Amino acid sequence: MVTAFVTIQVENFLAWKKLFSENEDLRKGLNIKIIDVYLLVSDVEIVTIIAEVESKEQFDYYYFNDPTIKNILNNYCYKVKPIVEYYNKID
């Protein structure tokens, strides 16, 4: 497992939040566990999601290549390309 930090700028937070909530079952099916979601204090269109994922490759496929997710995110959510960073937990 790795931890993914995903920062996005959304067109419309309420529309994004609705889509995000509707895709919870899909994420669970791919073993993507959302740890937290944050909004930037100075700009509520900037969202950072922290998630535990199986691997960088698995999450990259889901987030950037899965046709359904890619279409939804590109057409309804993003103003700019998301920033995705991966971290290994240190015990």
Side-chain angles (χ1 to χ4, degrees):
M1 297 290 282
V2 297
T3 302
F5 283 69
V6 181
T7 300
I8 57 175
Q9 184 175 12
V10 298
E11 288 284 338
N12 177 315
F13 174 75
L14 295 177
W16 172 84
K17 178 64 173 136
K18 182 177 184 286
L19 291 169
F20 184 79
S21 296
E22 288 173 355
N23 285 305
E24 183 176 352
D25 288 340
L26 176 60
R27 288 190 302 273
K28 284 182 181 179
L30 295 170
N31 204 22
I32 297 170
K33 179 182 175 190
I34 302 300
I35 304 301
D36 270 314
V37 179
Y38 296 93
L39 292 176
L40 188 64
V41 172
S42 60
D43 186 348
V44 296
E45 292 182 342
I46 306 292
V47 179
T48 298
I49 303 159
I50 302 171
E52 285 184 353
V53 301
E54 286 290 321
S55 68
K56 176 187 182 307
E57 296 76 18
Q58 179 253 9
F59 188 76
D60 279 350
Y61 176 79
Y62 159 76
Y63 205 74
F64 294 109
N65 298 307
D66 180 272
T68 303
I69 298 301
K70 187 176 182 178
N71 183 50
I72 289 170
L73 297 176
N74 287 337
N75 290 328
Y76 300 103
C77 296
Y78 296 145
K79 285 187 171 181
V80 297
K81 185 175 178 179
I83 299 168
V84 182
E85 299 176 303
Y86 297 95
Y87 296 86
N88 287 314
K89 186 174 181 179
I90 300 173
D91 294 324

